[in-house]
Amino acid sequence: MAAVSKRLLVSDLVTVDKINQVPSNYIRPLSERPNLRHVSSHETIPIIDLHDLNSPKRCHVINQIRDACREYGFFQVKNHSVPESTITNMMQIAKDFFNLPEEERLKSYSDDPNKTTRLSTSFNIRTEKVANWRDFLRLHCYPLEDYVHEWPTNPSSFRAHVKEYCTSVRGLALELVEAISESLGLERDYIGKQLGKHGQHMALNYYPPCPQPDLTYGLPGHTDLNLITILLQDDVPGLQVLKDGKWVAVDPVPNTFIINIGDQIQVLSNDKYKSILHRAVVNCDKERISIPTFYCPSRDAVISPAPEFVTEDQPAVYRPFTYGEYYDKFWNRGLATENCLDMFMATKST
Ligand code: OGA
Ligand code: NI
């Protein structure tokens, strides 16, 4: 049997130890493996052109967003407001960061999910039984001035490029939050007003090549706990989305972002829109980088189903909670596979 790895980061198992077998702590039981041959590549998630979002044709775009949210919980956007150079610089700086020597990267290492800037590995190594083939740098990035001083200073242009990127992506997030609000039939500013002072986190995900990609995951199936996620991926495939019980691959399209509904939209919409399971698989020969922005409420914001969606026939599915409470539960729950939303259901009074 393969040995259990002693390195903190999976990237160093690959580049320093040059392993040619997956260590046993990364191997999933047979019934939980990715089954890569059973992934649909015929279907993909819709691409929505945002060019007309601020034109008289806005309602067409809103309708496309509504259909995509109902049918997939996922869509891609093109002609968005984030400049190509901002995206290119962000991707390059992420690559440069993960190519730093091990001791340099480990300066940011922590396994404490409460830290607002940290490099870690897998998903949540304090609670999970099987590890995942991923290293990640997680950053809080709104309000910027509260966090930027914590970020890495190596590579030397890291802070400048990431600042530019997350400021620009926040603009896109605000446009999308308004559009999603409208697509639900709510006031354009309804959702934005529920988010307190607002929050924004991001992750730089690094998936090294894996000698046995059939045995493990970059990230196993999960939903995102935040409001919406705006994912940038490089040109290596790996993301898959669950659609009608089947995993569908979302192959990279240059200069598009992948948007998905997170748990907080599911709550605010009282289950009209669902937070969809997705996962990242790895491959034998290429590293992969993905950069999700998690747009979210601030910790003190109280989240509950919008009154418009609560009637006698359709009672509130969830009880009110603060985002801080949800966030802490999400990171501390025993198993990453347990659905966090289930822990916030309204108790039935019968
Ligand atoms: C995530 C995520 C997908 C990917 O970080 O929550 O779902 O393709 N990432 O890396
Ligand atoms: Ni995710």
Side-chain angles (χ1 to χ4, degrees):
M1 193 173 170
V4 171
S5 121
K6 290 197 192 65
R7 291 231 177 246
L8 285 175
L9 299 173
V10 65
S11 36
D12 301 308
L13 273 176
V14 176
T15 52
V16 184
D17 295 351
K18 302 206 187 316
I19 51 152
N20 53 16
Q21 261 192 320
V22 168
S24 57
N25 55 318
Y26 290 87
I27 301 179
R28 294 271 154 187
L30 259 178
S31 62
E32 290 176 18
R33 292 184 189 169
N35 213 343
L36 298 172
R37 276 164 299 281
H38 284 91
V39 172
S40 170
S41 48
H42 306 302
E43 193 173 12
T44 192
I45 58 173
I47 299 195
I48 299 178
D49 188 337
L50 295 186
H51 180 261
D52 289 331
L53 195 58
N54 297 306
S55 83
K57 294 194 203 138
R58 179 175 174 87
C59 64
H60 295 297
V61 185
I62 302 290
N63 287 341
Q64 288 175 43
I65 291 177
R66 179 188 302 120
D67 291 347
C69 288
R70 281 190 185 147
E71 209 176 321
Y72 294 87
F74 262 85
F75 53 96
Q76 307 179 73
V77 294
K78 65 176 184 182
N79 288 323
H80 48 71
S81 49
V82 184
E84 201 173 324
S85 59
T86 306
I87 292 179
T88 311
N89 290 340
M90 180 66 237
M91 208 25 110
Q92 188 58 49
I93 210 73
K95 217 167 244 181
D96 294 347
F97 176 83
F98 286 106
N99 281 326
L100 290 171
E102 181 178 15
E103 76 267 15
E104 192 55 38
R105 274 174 287 130
L106 286 177
K107 287 179 184 164
S108 309
Y109 186 84
S110 168
D111 64 8
D112 178 1
N114 296 315
K115 282 199 86 168
T116 47
T117 300
R118 64 177 184 125
L119 176 69
S120 190
T121 192
S122 193
F123 189 67
N124 184 3
I125 55 174
R126 287 187 172 182
T127 58
E128 67 205 0
K129 292 203 185 96
V130 184
N132 303 299
W133 207 258
R134 172 183 79 140
D135 295 334
F136 63 96
L137 178 66
R138 219 180 142 99
L139 309 169
H140 286 220
C141 39
Y142 184 81
L144 255 178
E145 60 278 13
D146 290 357
Y147 302 111
V148 79
H149 62 276
E150 301 176 357
W151 294 359
T153 47
N154 189 4
S156 58
S157 54
F158 185 91
R159 289 186 181 177
H161 287 319
V162 178
K163 241 165 106 170
E164 181 187 323
Y165 179 81
C166 63
T167 305
S168 188
V169 170
R170 179 164 190 267
L172 174 61
L174 292 173
E175 286 187 321
L176 289 168
V177 169
E178 285 189 350
I180 290 170
S181 209
E182 243 179 291
S183 79
L184 281 162
L186 299 166
E187 292 293 325
R188 188 164 165 167
D189 62 358
Y190 178 82
I191 293 179
K193 282 185 173 162
Q194 306 307 305
L195 310 179
K197 294 184 288 296
H198 292 211
Q200 183 181 347
H201 306 174
M202 66 193 285
L204 281 53
N205 289 325
Y206 181 80
Y207 304 100
C210 175
Q212 295 165 296
D214 293 334
L215 304 184
T216 192
Y217 288 103
L219 271 178
H222 67 281
T223 64
D224 292 350
L225 82 156
N226 46 285
L227 187 79
I228 56 167
T229 303
I230 300 181
L231 180 88
L232 173 67
Q233 57 175 342
D234 68 7
D235 55 357
V236 180
L239 175 65
Q240 300 177 352
V241 174
L242 195 65
K243 167 84 165 78
D244 303 330
K246 275 205 225 115
W247 290 101
V248 174
V250 183
D251 289 341
V253 181
N255 282 311
T256 63
F257 289 105
I258 297 158
I259 315 297
N260 67 285
I261 296 299
D263 293 354
Q264 306 312 309
I265 294 268
Q266 179 162 338
V267 172
L268 285 162
S269 73
N270 206 28
D271 276 356
K272 285 199 158 34
Y273 290 172
K274 297 279 171 49
S275 177
I276 296 294
L277 278 175
H278 55 283
R279 64 185 194 180
V281 297
V282 286
N283 72 81
C284 299
D285 41 39
K286 283 189 175 151
E287 63 179 23
R288 172 169 182 262
I289 291 179
S290 75
I291 304 176
T293 291
F294 304 108
Y295 206 76
C296 54
S298 50
R299 283 186 67 87
D300 57 349
V302 177
I303 305 296
S304 64
E308 284 86 338
F309 302 139
V310 179
T311 61
E312 214 156 295
D313 294 340
Q314 289 170 301
V317 183
Y318 306 98
R319 66 169 174 86
F321 52 82
T322 62
Y323 186 61
E325 187 191 349
Y326 197 94
Y327 190 87
D328 295 343
K329 268 264 176 36
F330 181 90
W331 283 105
N332 295 322
R333 80 213 139 117
L335 265 182
T337 46
E338 210 177 306
N339 190 336
C340 196
L341 280 167
D342 290 348
M343 296 192 266
F344 290 84
M345 303 276 259
T347 43
K348 293 178 186 76
S349 54
T350 45

